[in-house]
Amino acid sequence: MACLDKQSDDLVFFVNGKKVIERKADPEELLLYYLRKELRLSGTKYGCGVGGCGACTVMLSTYDPVVKKIRHHPANSCLLPICSLHGAAVTTVEGVGSIKNRINPIQERLAKCHGSQCGFCTPGMVMSIYALLRNHVKPSMEQIISALDGNLCRCTGYRPIIDSYASFAKEQTCCQLRGTGQCCLDQEELGCSSSAGVRIRSGLCNPAEFLPVDPTQEFIFPPELMRMAQEQQGKTLIFCSKRTTWISPSSLKELLELKAKYPKAPLVVGNTSLGLNKNDCDAYHPIVLHPLRIPEMQVVSITDDGIVIGATCCLAQLRDILIETIPKLPEEKTKIYQALLQQLRTLAGEQIRSMASLGGHVVSRGSAWDLNPILCAGKSVLNLASDGGKRQIFLDDQFLAGHKHADIEPKEVIVSVLIPYSTKDEFISAFRQAERQKNAFSIVNSGLRVLFSPGTDTIVDLSILYGGIGSTTLSARKSCEKLIGRQWNDQMLSEACKLVLEEISLPPSASGGKVEYRRTLLVSFLFRFYLEVLHGLHQMYPFRYSELSQDKMSALGVLQSGVPQGVQLYQDVDPGQSPQDPVGRPIMHQSGIKHATGEAVFIDDIRPVDRELSLAVVTSIKAHAKIKSIDISEALQVPGVINVVTAKDVPGKNGNDEEEAFAKDKVICVGQIICAVVAETLTQAKHGAKKVKIVYEDLQPVLTIKDAIEHNSYITEERKLEKGDIEKGFKSADKIIEGELHMGGQEHFYLETNSVLVIPRMEDKEMDVYVSTQHATDVQKLVASALNLQSNKIMCHTKRVGGAFGGKITKPSFFAVIAAVAANKTGRPVRFALERNMDMLITGGRHPFFGKYKVGFMKDGRIIAADFQCYINGGCTKDESELVIEYIVLKVDNAYNIPNLRVRGHACKTNLPSNTAFRGFGFPQAGLFVETCIVAVATKTGLPHEKVREKNMYRGVNRTAFKEEFDAENLWKCWKECLDKSDYHSRNAKVEEFNRKNYWKKKGIAIIPMKFSVGFNATYFHQAGALVHIYLDGSVLVTHGGIELGQGIHTKMLQIASRELKIPLSYIHFCETSSTTVPNGKYTAGSVGTEINARAVQDACQILWKRLDPIRRKNPKGKWEDWISEAHKKSISLSATGYFKGYVTNMDWETKKGHAFPYFLYGAACSEVEIDCLTGAHKNIRTDIVMDASFSINPAIDIGQIEGAFIQGVGLYTLEEIYFSPEGEQLTLGPDTYKIPAVCDIPEQFHVYLVPNSCNSIAIYSSKGMGEAGFFLGSSVFFAIRDAVAAARKERGLPLDFTLISPLTAERIRMACDDIFTKMIPKDKPGTYKPWAIDIS
């Protein structure tokens, strides 16, 4: 729109100490994209676009000219409009430190403590802690943990990140290794009784090497901005674009005049509400008002009535004000403040808390907003103003419901909020339950308040409010009115529950699902409040009101995780090993420092090239339909759109034999790509994509495993294994049980979304393809096929990948085809970087699983016969489903020798996005299934679970069901070490004692063994190539066919080259993985990517070393550089290719025999948890992992892989839930709806122990592949929770032969702890309503 008859102001701010002047600032432009595209600062990453992952974190520094203070805070740049930055100083990761200039201690410690793996999330981690340290030079550990609430990491498991930042804390945490009195940071060699004569080392980094913190080296706040702030206090700022005008008034009077003139104009402070709609290109506001510079709206004052908080104060400020104020006031006055503070500690992440304003939180009235119920219950008052004057209204249920007589007028604004003091006879509590403890929207929240007649328990006033039930916060007003005058007793509680359930109704089809759980939380919260009040009455009047019983006391309090601490123990290198030889040492990740400084370049960080176009795709909105027509005419009219690409534009093959790159005649899932729009900018491409019109003819979809079985819809033939005589086994069994397991899928949620950049060359139709992939050869093959070219014309390049976990094996090839076809059609470079929601919509994940079992066993717990039927939901194409179901069949025995066994596997074909490879590749499903059977047998026999496991574990030299021989010695070694290291039996007794004393909270403990097979069941998957060059100055360049995904493959390659060539690591460099240097590489996966490429690098280095033999013999005391110079003079080639043919593996499904895997590795994990039976919340108390890593080439990398995989497994088994609508559309498309583990989810004590004196003759240097094995051990948390649930059920007299669905979310935990509250809620009969989401497993 027009710029209000006034020229747009210059936008002035600083970035990393440098002044930025934007003369045509666009109010719709967000800081993240401005930094990356305009300022070329690519260290700040795009991770989600909704402020949920922290990858885009920057630090904002602002100056308040009124109080003359500088404030630093973290912010999500993906939500920040650049126009909000006028007068601010922005610091990005590049400004914190760089390799070129100076590395900051924050960056150095994170890298040296191995706190980065793929490195994509690392700049955000650095910035969150940097902002904290600028405000608190010596923060507490609680502040450090809180600062990381809003940052997600999919690789590390968080422990090394916390360790690296613990060194900044004012109180140093110390793990105190059990029985030694030493700390893992001491770097002392510790004797180990079970490994006499072996040196065991603890800790993976040396704090003595850390750079000291020097605050004087940080950027000062620019004095120019201080002057600007003073000079522009009375100036209105206006920034305009073609369709939006941003106005920042300087006075309340002016704001009210503007609001009167533009009543529909939103007030934006942190943009944490409006900013979430950024993905909708059509959503915009002609006028945006930015009231952050108005003093009256920033006020904080203590009055006789309470605390007045300005509407533009952010939630982090509110928290800090409450922390400071509460101790200064009489306790009876602070009840509402304590309730608010409790909610603020878990609400969102620190970045959002630092951006979102109190006024915005109140006025947006989101159903899941945690503060509104408690502000309402506490009788808070809104101070309003308009051009017509001032008034006050209560922030009550009528306001929250939007009733006209109680609402804000369009011309009014909230100036401040009065939060009143509580009184002596008043009790206020706040509750919430979310899918994750922190940084997650509430499923249900509540604010409750009761006021008694002085000195009595007679109700004078009562407020009960709930969020997460309706479209906004709901009040049980009628229920409260009926309860006034009643005594606070059990009879009142019973009636209150009944009244609330009648008044607050939730329809069975409610958005968000979990209907019965949400209903249960209504009365569960009410019960907890009832007990809190009783407890408070006793404390006030101990002689009048009796103390709660111990059972009821256990219902009080919420579970809160403490500060995590870790221990890592591993075998040290031989004392005689050369100090120069890096193998076996915890060497820092080759790119660790670059990760921490933001200088590590990912695909979308590559600078724009000349005439580059952006691409956006149009995807199917139908699960199964014919395409009747595609109309692109309107899309081509959008300014900036260059062309639309469809299947007709593919010169060669449109995909492969199994899957189309562009849907042509039919769509087979929601999210299938139909066409692509290429434009000058991504925004233009997205606008164009929205204009493409597609007409469908619906076909019947198959969505669930149940549907697939009914329709006989399978991707492959049944896979079957048999061992022994199953019928005879069942006949001889003492008992037979049958059951089933349902298990949901899992999103990869790699932090770097799929990205590809295709650059056509000037001649011979050559193309450079820069792609984030695990399988460059497949990219090359599919692109060449699509363009009808030979593969030698397609050059694929991958420097590093920002996480993959199996999700970037197959799909990146199709994304590359789409971009390459677009580049071929337009003749211009094309960039295709998927936004998070599109990545999650289009790509599949881990296969949902359904298993049915029939198990025959003896009274002593020995299983003698088992019949397993396993089904996976493969989605719409074959992808990796055939291999996954084969692996499930091959691996389902885990650590157990079942003499008579039959396993049948089916990969179901459905109209969902194709599921694909994922870390563990079928074993996480298979392992959970067989462990469920073990638990069922233990339950039936009444025997301890660990005893039933021991009865059935393989012993000595044995054979699998497919006749592969292995030795179970290390399986038992890991098992026994885990029992010992975890102090299992003693802690189990303590768990039982705790459970006897606590009715509403229960602990559980479980120990799980593991036999994990590494690699693939065909030899050719294990081949690898390498190319090693030695240059005349003695430097070495190593290339190989493996791809860096965060697993440290390049670091280990450099270690191996260093050993083989006997030169320092500093001499060796790795550039990139490219099809031009090492052709035909297999995909980097299956835990063997490192070791097979290591063999190829070793081969090349040994060839070179052998060539140098004559030179060395002639000059044995010469320097490396001398040998190389002489070799060149002697015409000796200083370049060699290395090759590894691969491990010999095979599997014959006709004979049911084979040597399916190169080798096995073993492990065990013991986990202890505590659950809240009222809400279903749980916390992970402690985990001990013992792993048979044989000789670790790099203990830091291997332990990092174990920890990261374990936490990812915890996510699969307890947190991560994917929802699909009844029409087949995925509903979980970002971190706001899909929750991976965060810092709050790791065990408080996290111990990893690598078994010493273990050998593996198969792999290089007797190592083993650690990439996936730790994943399944996350199931120890699942079974520990099950143990806790069983304790609750036993006490309630409920059956113990129950089956739990994975993931074991708060909902499922709560509903399994069946009690009076779950019984009183209304139940809905399946089939009588349309559910919000369906169970696809």
Side-chain angles (χ1 to χ4, degrees), residues 1121-1138:
E1121 292 84 350
D1122 298 335
W1123 295 342
I1124 299 309
S1125 177
E1126 185 63 23
H1128 182 61
K1129 290 174 184 176
K1130 297 290 186 184
S1131 299
I1132 295 172
S1133 172
L1134 295 175
S1135 176
T1137 56

PDB file of all heavy atoms in Angstrom, residues 1121-1138:
ATOM      1  N   GLU A1121      59.118 -34.791   4.050  1.00  0.00           N
ATOM      2  CA  GLU A1121      59.199 -33.909   2.897  1.00  0.00           C
ATOM      3  C   GLU A1121      60.353 -34.291   1.980  1.00  0.00           C
ATOM      4  O   GLU A1121      60.244 -34.205   0.744  1.00  0.00           O
ATOM      5  CB  GLU A1121      59.354 -32.448   3.339  1.00  0.00           C
ATOM      6  CG  GLU A1121      58.139 -31.853   4.029  1.00  0.00           C
ATOM      7  CD  GLU A1121      58.060 -32.153   5.517  1.00  0.00           C
ATOM      8  OE1 GLU A1121      58.853 -32.992   6.017  1.00  0.00           O
ATOM      9  OE2 GLU A1121      57.191 -31.556   6.177  1.00  0.00           O
ATOM     10  N   ASP A1122      61.479 -34.719   2.578  1.00  0.00           N
ATOM     11  CA  ASP A1122      62.636 -35.135   1.771  1.00  0.00           C
ATOM     12  C   ASP A1122      62.298 -36.370   0.957  1.00  0.00           C
ATOM     13  O   ASP A1122      62.659 -36.474  -0.223  1.00  0.00           O
ATOM     14  CB  ASP A1122      63.834 -35.426   2.676  1.00  0.00           C
ATOM     15  CG  ASP A1122      64.287 -34.203   3.446  1.00  0.00           C
ATOM     16  OD1 ASP A1122      64.025 -33.074   2.967  1.00  0.00           O
ATOM     17  OD2 ASP A1122      64.880 -34.368   4.535  1.00  0.00           O
ATOM     18  N   TRP A1123      61.620 -37.328   1.593  1.00  0.00           N
ATOM     19  CA  TRP A1123      61.252 -38.568   0.884  1.00  0.00           C
ATOM     20  C   TRP A1123      60.350 -38.262  -0.303  1.00  0.00           C
ATOM     21  O   TRP A1123      60.504 -38.827  -1.376  1.00  0.00           O
ATOM     22  CB  TRP A1123      60.514 -39.535   1.827  1.00  0.00           C
ATOM     23  CG  TRP A1123      61.354 -40.055   2.960  1.00  0.00           C
ATOM     24  CD1 TRP A1123      62.710 -40.049   3.055  1.00  0.00           C
ATOM     25  CD2 TRP A1123      60.875 -40.660   4.160  1.00  0.00           C
ATOM     26  NE1 TRP A1123      63.121 -40.605   4.239  1.00  0.00           N
ATOM     27  CE2 TRP A1123      62.016 -40.990   4.939  1.00  0.00           C
ATOM     28  CE3 TRP A1123      59.613 -40.945   4.650  1.00  0.00           C
ATOM     29  CZ2 TRP A1123      61.901 -41.613   6.181  1.00  0.00           C
ATOM     30  CZ3 TRP A1123      59.492 -41.569   5.875  1.00  0.00           C
ATOM     31  CH2 TRP A1123      60.637 -41.891   6.647  1.00  0.00           C
ATOM     32  N   ILE A1124      59.387 -37.343  -0.092  1.00  0.00           N
ATOM     33  CA  ILE A1124      58.431 -37.033  -1.154  1.00  0.00           C
ATOM     34  C   ILE A1124      59.145 -36.332  -2.303  1.00  0.00           C
ATOM     35  O   ILE A1124      58.910 -36.639  -3.486  1.00  0.00           O
ATOM     36  CB  ILE A1124      57.281 -36.153  -0.606  1.00  0.00           C
ATOM     37  CG1 ILE A1124      56.534 -36.891   0.502  1.00  0.00           C
ATOM     38  CG2 ILE A1124      56.335 -35.740  -1.720  1.00  0.00           C
ATOM     39  CD1 ILE A1124      56.089 -38.294   0.148  1.00  0.00           C
ATOM     40  N   SER A1125      60.029 -35.407  -1.983  1.00  0.00           N
ATOM     41  CA  SER A1125      60.772 -34.694  -3.017  1.00  0.00           C
ATOM     42  C   SER A1125      61.615 -35.669  -3.836  1.00  0.00           C
ATOM     43  O   SER A1125      61.637 -35.609  -5.071  1.00  0.00           O
ATOM     44  CB  SER A1125      61.661 -33.629  -2.369  1.00  0.00           C
ATOM     45  OG  SER A1125      62.439 -32.976  -3.334  1.00  0.00           O
ATOM     46  N   GLU A1126      62.263 -36.581  -3.139  1.00  0.00           N
ATOM     47  CA  GLU A1126      63.116 -37.556  -3.829  1.00  0.00           C
ATOM     48  C   GLU A1126      62.275 -38.515  -4.666  1.00  0.00           C
ATOM     49  O   GLU A1126      62.667 -38.872  -5.789  1.00  0.00           O
ATOM     50  CB  GLU A1126      63.950 -38.335  -2.797  1.00  0.00           C
ATOM     51  CG  GLU A1126      64.956 -39.293  -3.379  1.00  0.00           C
ATOM     52  CD  GLU A1126      66.041 -38.598  -4.199  1.00  0.00           C
ATOM     53  OE1 GLU A1126      66.277 -37.377  -3.973  1.00  0.00           O
ATOM     54  OE2 GLU A1126      66.635 -39.255  -5.073  1.00  0.00           O
ATOM     55  N   ALA A1127      61.136 -38.927  -4.140  1.00  0.00           N
ATOM     56  CA  ALA A1127      60.264 -39.844  -4.883  1.00  0.00           C
ATOM     57  C   ALA A1127      59.810 -39.202  -6.191  1.00  0.00           C
ATOM     58  O   ALA A1127      59.760 -39.860  -7.240  1.00  0.00           O
ATOM     59  CB  ALA A1127      59.060 -40.218  -4.025  1.00  0.00           C
ATOM     60  N   HIS A1128      59.507 -37.919  -6.144  1.00  0.00           N
ATOM     61  CA  HIS A1128      59.078 -37.222  -7.356  1.00  0.00           C
ATOM     62  C   HIS A1128      60.212 -37.177  -8.377  1.00  0.00           C
ATOM     63  O   HIS A1128      59.981 -37.385  -9.577  1.00  0.00           O
ATOM     64  CB  HIS A1128      58.617 -35.810  -6.996  1.00  0.00           C
ATOM     65  CG  HIS A1128      58.102 -35.020  -8.163  1.00  0.00           C
ATOM     66  ND1 HIS A1128      57.013 -35.406  -8.898  1.00  0.00           N
ATOM     67  CD2 HIS A1128      58.563 -33.869  -8.732  1.00  0.00           C
ATOM     68  CE1 HIS A1128      56.810 -34.530  -9.867  1.00  0.00           C
ATOM     69  NE2 HIS A1128      57.738 -33.589  -9.781  1.00  0.00           N
ATOM     70  N   LYS A1129      61.406 -36.935  -7.880  1.00  0.00           N
ATOM     71  CA  LYS A1129      62.573 -36.897  -8.781  1.00  0.00           C
ATOM     72  C   LYS A1129      62.827 -38.262  -9.418  1.00  0.00           C
ATOM     73  O   LYS A1129      63.332 -38.354 -10.535  1.00  0.00           O
ATOM     74  CB  LYS A1129      63.808 -36.441  -8.017  1.00  0.00           C
ATOM     75  CG  LYS A1129      63.758 -34.971  -7.605  1.00  0.00           C
ATOM     76  CD  LYS A1129      64.949 -34.602  -6.725  1.00  0.00           C
ATOM     77  CE  LYS A1129      64.844 -33.155  -6.244  1.00  0.00           C
ATOM     78  NZ  LYS A1129      65.944 -32.818  -5.309  1.00  0.00           N
ATOM     79  N   LYS A1130      62.448 -39.320  -8.683  1.00  0.00           N
ATOM     80  CA  LYS A1130      62.638 -40.685  -9.183  1.00  0.00           C
ATOM     81  C   LYS A1130      61.426 -41.156 -10.008  1.00  0.00           C
ATOM     82  O   LYS A1130      61.335 -42.344 -10.340  1.00  0.00           O
ATOM     83  CB  LYS A1130      62.841 -41.647  -8.023  1.00  0.00           C
ATOM     84  CG  LYS A1130      64.076 -41.381  -7.180  1.00  0.00           C
ATOM     85  CD  LYS A1130      65.351 -41.706  -7.939  1.00  0.00           C
ATOM     86  CE  LYS A1130      66.579 -41.582  -7.029  1.00  0.00           C
ATOM     87  NZ  LYS A1130      67.838 -41.801  -7.792  1.00  0.00           N
ATOM     88  N   SER A1131      60.517 -40.228 -10.314  1.00  0.00           N
ATOM     89  CA  SER A1131      59.329 -40.553 -11.110  1.00  0.00           C
ATOM     90  C   SER A1131      58.460 -41.614 -10.463  1.00  0.00           C
ATOM     91  O   SER A1131      57.880 -42.475 -11.126  1.00  0.00           O
ATOM     92  CB  SER A1131      59.732 -41.000 -12.525  1.00  0.00           C
ATOM     93  OG  SER A1131      60.415 -39.973 -13.190  1.00  0.00           O
ATOM     94  N   ILE A1132      58.375 -41.575  -9.123  1.00  0.00           N
ATOM     95  CA  ILE A1132      57.472 -42.464  -8.388  1.00  0.00           C
ATOM     96  C   ILE A1132      56.133 -41.774  -8.234  1.00  0.00           C
ATOM     97  O   ILE A1132      56.062 -40.631  -7.772  1.00  0.00           O
ATOM     98  CB  ILE A1132      58.064 -42.823  -7.011  1.00  0.00           C
ATOM     99  CG1 ILE A1132      59.346 -43.646  -7.181  1.00  0.00           C
ATOM    100  CG2 ILE A1132      57.049 -43.584  -6.146  1.00  0.00           C
ATOM    101  CD1 ILE A1132      60.096 -43.890  -5.886  1.00  0.00           C
ATOM    102  N   SER A1133      55.047 -42.439  -8.627  1.00  0.00           N
ATOM    103  CA  SER A1133      53.713 -41.845  -8.536  1.00  0.00           C
ATOM    104  C   SER A1133      53.344 -41.590  -7.079  1.00  0.00           C
ATOM    105  O   SER A1133      53.474 -42.471  -6.225  1.00  0.00           O
ATOM    106  CB  SER A1133      52.675 -42.773  -9.165  1.00  0.00           C
ATOM    107  OG  SER A1133      51.377 -42.276  -8.921  1.00  0.00           O
ATOM    108  N   LEU A1134      52.894 -40.394  -6.836  1.00  0.00           N
ATOM    109  CA  LEU A1134      52.485 -40.006  -5.484  1.00  0.00           C
ATOM    110  C   LEU A1134      50.962 -39.911  -5.367  1.00  0.00           C
ATOM    111  O   LEU A1134      50.422 -39.183  -4.542  1.00  0.00           O
ATOM    112  CB  LEU A1134      53.139 -38.675  -5.108  1.00  0.00           C
ATOM    113  CG  LEU A1134      54.659 -38.712  -5.007  1.00  0.00           C
ATOM    114  CD1 LEU A1134      55.218 -37.324  -4.754  1.00  0.00           C
ATOM    115  CD2 LEU A1134      55.119 -39.662  -3.913  1.00  0.00           C
ATOM    116  N   SER A1135      50.301 -40.644  -6.194  1.00  0.00           N
ATOM    117  CA  SER A1135      48.845 -40.722  -6.145  1.00  0.00           C
ATOM    118  C   SER A1135      48.449 -42.189  -6.249  1.00  0.00           C
ATOM    119  O   SER A1135      49.034 -42.939  -7.032  1.00  0.00           O
ATOM    120  CB  SER A1135      48.234 -39.925  -7.309  1.00  0.00           C
ATOM    121  OG  SER A1135      46.837 -40.068  -7.327  1.00  0.00           O
ATOM    122  N   ALA A1136      47.469 -42.577  -5.430  1.00  0.00           N
ATOM    123  CA  ALA A1136      47.048 -43.983  -5.455  1.00  0.00           C
ATOM    124  C   ALA A1136      45.554 -44.092  -5.205  1.00  0.00           C
ATOM    125  O   ALA A1136      44.988 -43.365  -4.393  1.00  0.00           O
ATOM    126  CB  ALA A1136      47.810 -44.789  -4.406  1.00  0.00           C
ATOM    127  N   THR A1137      44.935 -45.012  -5.915  1.00  0.00           N
ATOM    128  CA  THR A1137      43.546 -45.348  -5.618  1.00  0.00           C
ATOM    129  C   THR A1137      43.538 -46.557  -4.693  1.00  0.00           C
ATOM    130  O   THR A1137      44.346 -47.475  -4.847  1.00  0.00           O
ATOM    131  CB  THR A1137      42.757 -45.687  -6.896  1.00  0.00           C
ATOM    132  OG1 THR A1137      43.415 -46.752  -7.583  1.00  0.00           O
ATOM    133  CG2 THR A1137      42.655 -44.488  -7.800  1.00  0.00           C
ATOM    134  N   GLY A1138      42.649 -46.524  -3.749  1.00  0.00           N
ATOM    135  CA  GLY A1138      42.479 -47.661  -2.848  1.00  0.00           C
ATOM    136  C   GLY A1138      41.120 -48.270  -3.073  1.00  0.00           C
ATOM    137  O   GLY A1138      40.165 -47.576  -3.458  1.00  0.00           O
TER     138      GLY A1138
END
